[in-house]
Amino acid sequence: RRLFTKRYNSNYNMTSKKTFKFQRTIYSTAEHCCVPLCQASSKYNSLLSFHTFPSDAEIRRKWLVAIRRDKFTVTPHTRVCSRHFNKDDVREPLSETGRRLLNKGAVPALERPPPMTEDDGDAGEKADIPMDHDYASASDPAVVDLALDDNMSLRDEILKLREHVEKLTMNQRFGIHRFAKHNANCFSFEQTRFLQPIDEMFMFLNYLALGSKQRDLADRYGVHQSTVSRIITTWSNFLYTVLGSVRIWIPEEKIRAHLPAEFKDYADTTVILDCTELRCQCPSSPLLQSEMFSAYKSHCTLKGLLGVAPHGAVTFISQLYAGSISDKQITRESGILSLLRPGMAIMVDRGFLVDDLVPCKIYRPAFLSGRSQMSACEVRETQAIARLRVHVERLIRRVKEHKFFDTEIPLRLFGNINQLYTVIVKNVSDLNNTCK
């Protein structure tokens, strides 16, 4: 140990300034500047000095503000290089082995350091130190104004985006907050949005399948209620025209080819007929009330005639008539008579007294006709017809259970109620056949 110390002291006394600096660079621990964007390191630059943060809390706070390191954790190894201090704040060492010190109260100025000269060190050791940053130099006023304008425009854009996000969030969540800023009707009609045809069709299907109100659809799709009404009218007319061009009446030979086994005793049956009544809003006019009032339902109704083939397919859909019309009258006016031919047979309920109208055979439950009871043969036939008529009764039940007919049909829909009714019956029929 003594020998090592002696040799070290001897080498230390014999080294020159240049050799001393080289050894300090190689064997000492490298120090780095903590100022953002500053790349100074004692490993590659021996001309700079690196200073620790002051112990005084107020001066240390000024240092953090000056180097712009908010919420920065200072450790005993944290350094700031001498490039960020004014020249007058740095005291040169009295000897070659000493360290540069800072004047009391010195704070980093972050000014651009002056270019190095030969006086700062040997000519062979000059380093081309890059100017990494210049925080304290004054900016061009034009650049500052441009930056302020950009900040204002970006701030406005952020506010608009926040409002848009808030609006979308409120539309996705259904609650009272969604209508808090709207008028007494609880719906806002300020939108000018246009829907694509596929979206219009989807709205129309929602209207039929779910029985949604027009105001609800207007809010959901972001359009005016009048737009919803126009879309419903347009698509009901379009689908009515398209579906009306498809012939649903099935020829007699195809019906017999698909005749169920249950109809073996009634093999010539072509169609099973029955009427359905749908409750509607009562008009204010007494004359219209008398026409719309149904004695059977004790309410204002719309009445239609439906025909179903023995295998369950819908083959006839009439228009809707006033509820006071009789079964015989609706049979005469519906157009079913033009489709019937001799050799066919229809199956109807007791109320269809149409023997003098149709040109074909009629299967109908028997009447008592003043008798105390029916014969055994008539009872069996009545029961058999009732079991076979279940197809048309099932269709009528599905139509009445449709969401669109859950409530009374409003008077404002009378203009296109036939189109809506036809589309719904076709839809119910297709679903019924799909389930089978």
Side-chain angles (χ1 to χ4, degrees):
R1 180 176 181 182
R2 291 178 180 177
L3 179 61
F4 174 78
T5 305
K6 182 177 180 181
R7 289 181 179 178
Y8 177 82
N9 293 336
S10 176
N11 291 336
Y12 176 82
N13 295 331
M14 294 175 62
T15 53
S16 62
K17 178 181 178 182
K18 180 176 180 180
T19 306
F20 171 77
K21 292 179 179 179
F22 175 80
Q23 289 180 343
R24 188 181 67 173
T25 303
I26 297 299
Y27 295 104
S28 60
T29 303
E31 296 175 323
H32 303 276
C33 182
C34 69
V35 177
L37 302 180
C38 184
Q39 301 175 1
S41 173
S42 63
K43 184 176 181 180
Y44 303 106
N45 194 331
S46 62
L47 302 178
L48 298 176
S49 59
F50 295 82
H51 305 278
T52 59
F53 277 69
S55 59
D56 184 87
E58 181 62 24
I59 300 179
R60 176 177 293 199
R61 187 189 64 80
K62 292 181 180 180
W63 276 44
L64 293 174
V65 173
I67 66 175
R68 302 183 184 179
R69 295 297 296 268
D70 189 20
K71 298 181 180 179
F72 177 64
T73 302
V74 179
T75 67
H77 304 286
T78 307
R79 300 288 190 271
V80 177
C81 69
S82 57
R83 297 174 60 193
H84 308 294
F85 293 91
N86 294 327
K87 189 175 181 181
D88 297 337
D89 291 335
V90 181
R91 291 182 294 170
E92 296 295 334
L94 300 177
S95 62
E96 293 183 358
T97 59
R99 294 179 60 88
R100 289 178 179 175
L101 300 177
L102 296 175
N103 294 330
K104 185 177 181 180
V107 177
L110 299 179
E111 294 180 350
R112 183 182 297 275
M116 296 185 63
T117 62
E118 295 183 1
D119 297 337
D120 296 327
D122 294 341
E125 292 184 344
K126 287 193 305 180
D128 186 12
I129 302 176
M131 305 307 169
D132 298 315
H133 46 264
D134 187 6
Y135 295 130
S137 59
S139 303
D140 187 356
V143 176
V144 175
D145 294 340
L146 181 60
L148 291 176
D149 293 339
D150 291 341
N151 289 340
M152 292 297 296
S153 61
L154 291 174
R155 187 178 292 106
D156 295 339
E157 184 177 356
I158 290 174
L159 291 177
K160 292 180 181 179
L161 291 175
R162 286 179 177 175
E163 292 178 358
H164 184 63
V165 170
E166 183 180 358
K167 182 178 179 181
L168 292 178
T169 304
M170 292 180 62
N171 289 337
Q172 292 176 357
R173 294 181 299 171
F174 192 84
I176 190 62
H177 62 276
R178 185 173 180 179
F179 312 106
K181 298 181 180 180
H182 294 176
N183 56 18
N185 293 329
C186 290
F187 290 91
S188 176
F189 298 141
E190 299 177 358
Q191 300 92 340
T192 58
R193 179 181 173 190
F194 295 94
L195 298 179
Q196 297 295 327
I198 187 65
D199 294 326
E200 292 185 355
M201 181 179 180
F202 188 68
M203 176 193 290
F204 177 74
L205 295 179
N206 286 341
Y207 177 71
L208 291 185
L210 303 178
S212 302
K213 302 300 181 182
Q214 293 187 9
R215 284 187 175 182
D216 182 31
L217 291 174
D219 181 70
R220 290 178 182 272
Y221 286 84
V223 294
H224 197 278
Q225 183 179 348
S226 61
T227 304
V228 176
S229 178
R230 176 186 58 80
I231 291 174
I232 292 174
T233 302
T234 301
W235 278 95
S236 61
N237 291 333
F238 173 74
L239 293 177
Y240 177 78
T241 303
V242 172
L243 296 176
S245 63
V246 179
R247 183 180 178 86
I248 61 175
W249 182 261
I250 302 178
E252 184 179 1
E253 57 273 13
K254 289 187 176 181
I255 291 178
R256 292 180 179 177
H258 297 86
L259 191 70
E262 293 81 359
F263 281 81
K264 62 181 180 179
D265 296 333
Y266 306 93
D268 54 350
T269 302
T270 304
V271 63
I272 306 172
L273 297 177
D274 202 356
C275 289
T276 180
E277 295 189 56
L278 305 173
R279 295 165 63 93
C280 65
Q281 183 181 355
C282 294
S284 58
S285 171
L287 179 61
L288 294 178
Q289 286 184 14
S290 61
E291 292 182 0
M292 302 292 295
F293 188 80
S294 170
Y296 179 68
K297 296 293 184 179
S298 300
H299 198 279
C300 291
T301 62
L302 295 175
K303 191 172 184 178
L305 179 65
L306 294 176
V308 178
H311 61 278
V314 176
T315 58
F316 183 79
I317 305 173
S318 75
Q319 294 184 352
L320 293 176
Y321 298 87
S324 61
I325 191 172
S326 64
D327 294 341
K328 184 175 183 179
Q329 185 67 19
I330 198 173
T331 304
R332 179 186 292 112
E333 297 183 7
S334 63
I336 185 66
L337 298 179
S338 62
L339 301 174
L340 301 178
R341 299 288 183 271
M344 297 180 178
I346 61 174
M347 188 172 290
V348 295
D349 198 7
R350 286 189 178 92
F352 282 83
L353 305 177
V354 293
D355 302 75
D356 57 338
L357 296 180
V358 299
C360 59
K361 188 176 181 179
I362 301 176
Y363 293 118
R364 181 177 53 217
F367 290 93
L368 287 175
S369 301
R371 298 174 295 175
S372 59
Q373 63 180 11
M374 293 183 294
S375 64
C377 180
E378 290 177 336
V379 171
R380 287 193 296 269
E381 183 179 10
T382 299
Q383 293 176 347
I385 294 175
R387 286 194 301 269
L388 297 177
R389 289 186 65 257
V390 70
H391 296 295
V392 67
E393 293 175 355
R394 188 176 299 161
L395 172 65
I396 291 175
R397 186 182 73 251
R398 290 178 64 90
V399 171
K400 290 184 176 181
E401 290 176 351
H402 196 275
K403 289 289 185 180
F404 188 79
F405 300 122
D406 273 353
T407 58
E408 296 180 353
I409 301 174
L411 296 175
R412 57 182 172 80
L413 291 180
F414 277 24
N416 63 329
I417 187 59
N418 283 313
Q419 293 89 324
L420 294 171
Y421 170 73
T422 302
V423 172
I424 291 174
V425 173
K426 283 291 297 179
N427 182 41
V428 169
S429 172
D430 293 341
L431 289 177
N432 187 42
N433 294 334
T434 302
C435 295
K436 290 182 178 181

